[in-house]
Amino acid sequence: MITFTIALHETTLYAQRKTESFFKEIEKPTILFASNNHSVIEKDTSEISFFSFEEGKAVPYYRKFVNTEDSKTSTVYVCENNSIVLSTPDFGQDAIYSWKGPAGFSSLSQQIRLEKITPFQAGFYNFTIKKNGSTTIGKVKLMVKERPKAIAVGGEFCLGEPVKLISADAGVGVTYRWTLPPTDFSSYTPELTVENLAVGHYTYYLSVAKNGCKSVDTAKVEVKNIPVAIANNATIRVGQTAKLEAHDAGTEALYTWKGPYINTINNKIATLNGLTAGKYVYVLKVEKNGCSSMNISTVEVQKDDSKASAKNE
């Protein structure tokens, strides 16, 4: 009778790229080693450093040992879309290895790798080792855990406007985490509002986890500047033409004037004719790249010719 030890190295790790200021997920396979208890096969990972996305510090592989004796089957869990490596004990030269698994899977290698695991690959993986007339058998039950979907939504916002980030509903029992590398910002709600962002581009990371499986998505945010609406005031005599001119807000800016007796309303310059004595208020709106601002200009019309200056201020 042979007793097998299953050494499970299971990890989805994240490495920090030196050339960029954000974290990127690096998919590392779950590595499953089956061996007899006279010679447990392990890979030395003591000198390999990875950065955990959750903790932001170097962590080694996680090791788990599961004993299988007689006809007992070791059950191994792997997250959907991860990879897994299954390896038998090394029986040396002239050993013949064979694997059989779900969906017609077969292999004649000592070590097999299953890429981007799907639920259809769950089930029993049986291996046989033949050497010098002897046969050794073993089996592993592979269970595939559902990976929650992470869908993050950002958008374009104007300076001073609250930035709203939204996660699509990932179902029951999931946890959410928003981060903004390289800052220490984090939030644990499906939706959040961020205030007081400066003009610029931002990439927020959304992590959605369930039962040890995790997905990551990004939300792109652009905060755009607001064009400034500024124009002059004017003082004229009855019968004269007043001119209100907005300050130049740059290319692609749109100008809109509202008020009485305006001849041109969609222009940087508004001309006013036929005003009777009194004081008039005009509203200027300037739009650019989806953002806008408004301001007020006044026109005073005097009926006493001796006191009027016919000037724009």
Side-chain angles (χ1 to χ4, degrees), residues 4-289:
F4 288 96
T5 300
I6 306 298
L8 175 63
H9 298 211
E10 185 170 8
T11 177
T12 301
L13 297 175
Y14 299 77
Q16 187 177 32
R17 298 178 59 184
K18 295 181 180 179
T19 58
E20 300 181 20
S21 61
F22 58 86
F23 288 88
K24 181 178 181 182
E25 179 179 6
I26 294 184
E27 291 285 356
K28 292 293 176 182
T30 298
I31 304 177
L32 182 67
F33 292 101
S35 64
N36 60 39
N37 44 0
H38 295 292
S39 175
V40 176
I41 301 174
E42 290 188 64
K43 283 189 176 180
D44 181 11
T45 61
S46 60
E47 296 182 358
I48 301 177
S49 290
F50 292 94
F51 282 88
S52 164
F53 187 78
E54 296 295 337
E55 302 295 337
K57 62 183 180 181
V59 294
Y61 280 142
Y62 169 71
R63 295 186 179 91
K64 179 182 179 183
F65 297 93
V66 182
N67 291 322
T68 59
E69 299 180 1
D70 301 329
S71 61
K72 293 180 181 179
T73 301
S74 174
T75 300
V76 179
Y77 294 86
V78 63
C79 295
E80 182 181 5
N81 206 41
N82 268 8
S83 300
I84 190 169
V85 175
L86 307 180
S87 180
T88 72
D90 185 357
F91 275 49
Q93 190 175 2
D94 299 326
I96 300 174
Y97 306 90
S98 65
W99 288 88
K100 291 188 181 297
F105 174 84
S106 64
S107 175
L108 298 178
S109 300
Q110 179 199 353
Q111 185 179 92
I112 60 174
R113 180 185 177 104
L114 305 176
E115 301 280 358
K116 296 184 177 181
I117 296 290
T118 70
F120 297 104
Q121 293 170 282
F124 292 96
Y125 287 79
N126 300 276
F127 64 85
T128 302
I129 307 171
K130 294 182 179 181
K131 183 176 181 180
N132 299 330
S134 299
T135 300
T136 301
I137 62 173
K139 61 181 175 179
V140 176
K141 184 179 181 180
L142 183 65
M143 299 292 289
V144 180
K145 297 190 292 183
E146 179 186 5
R147 181 187 293 274
K149 292 183 179 180
I151 302 176
V153 180
E156 298 179 350
F157 302 87
C158 299
L159 181 65
E161 186 179 18
V163 172
K164 189 171 185 179
L165 302 174
I166 301 174
S167 168
D169 187 359
V172 179
V174 301
T175 58
Y176 302 86
R177 186 186 185 208
W178 292 92
T179 56
L180 179 61
T183 72
D184 58 358
F185 170 87
S186 63
S187 177
Y188 297 88
T189 58
E191 299 183 7
L192 74 149
T193 300
V194 184
E195 306 275 359
N196 302 321
L197 286 181
V199 172
H201 293 82
Y202 302 84
T203 300
Y204 285 85
Y205 284 74
L206 170 66
S207 172
V208 179
K210 181 179 181 180
N211 296 329
C213 298
K214 181 188 299 183
S215 295
V216 177
D217 194 21
T218 59
K220 302 291 186 180
V221 170
E222 180 184 1
V223 179
K224 297 182 291 186
N225 215 343
I226 298 176
V228 179
I230 302 177
N232 62 297
N233 299 316
T235 302
I236 63 172
R237 294 188 296 269
V238 172
Q240 291 182 325
T241 298
K243 183 175 71 172
L244 300 177
E245 183 174 358
H247 286 203
D248 190 357
T251 58
E252 300 182 358
L254 300 176
Y255 307 87
T256 304
W257 291 93
K258 287 187 178 181
Y261 302 100
I262 294 182
N263 296 332
T264 56
I265 60 173
N266 295 315
N267 204 321
K268 187 168 70 171
I269 300 175
T271 56
L272 313 171
N273 295 303
L275 297 180
T276 59
K279 193 169 186 179
Y280 300 84
V281 175
Y282 297 87
V283 178
L284 168 66
K285 182 179 181 180
V286 181
E287 297 179 89
K288 185 178 181 180
N289 297 328

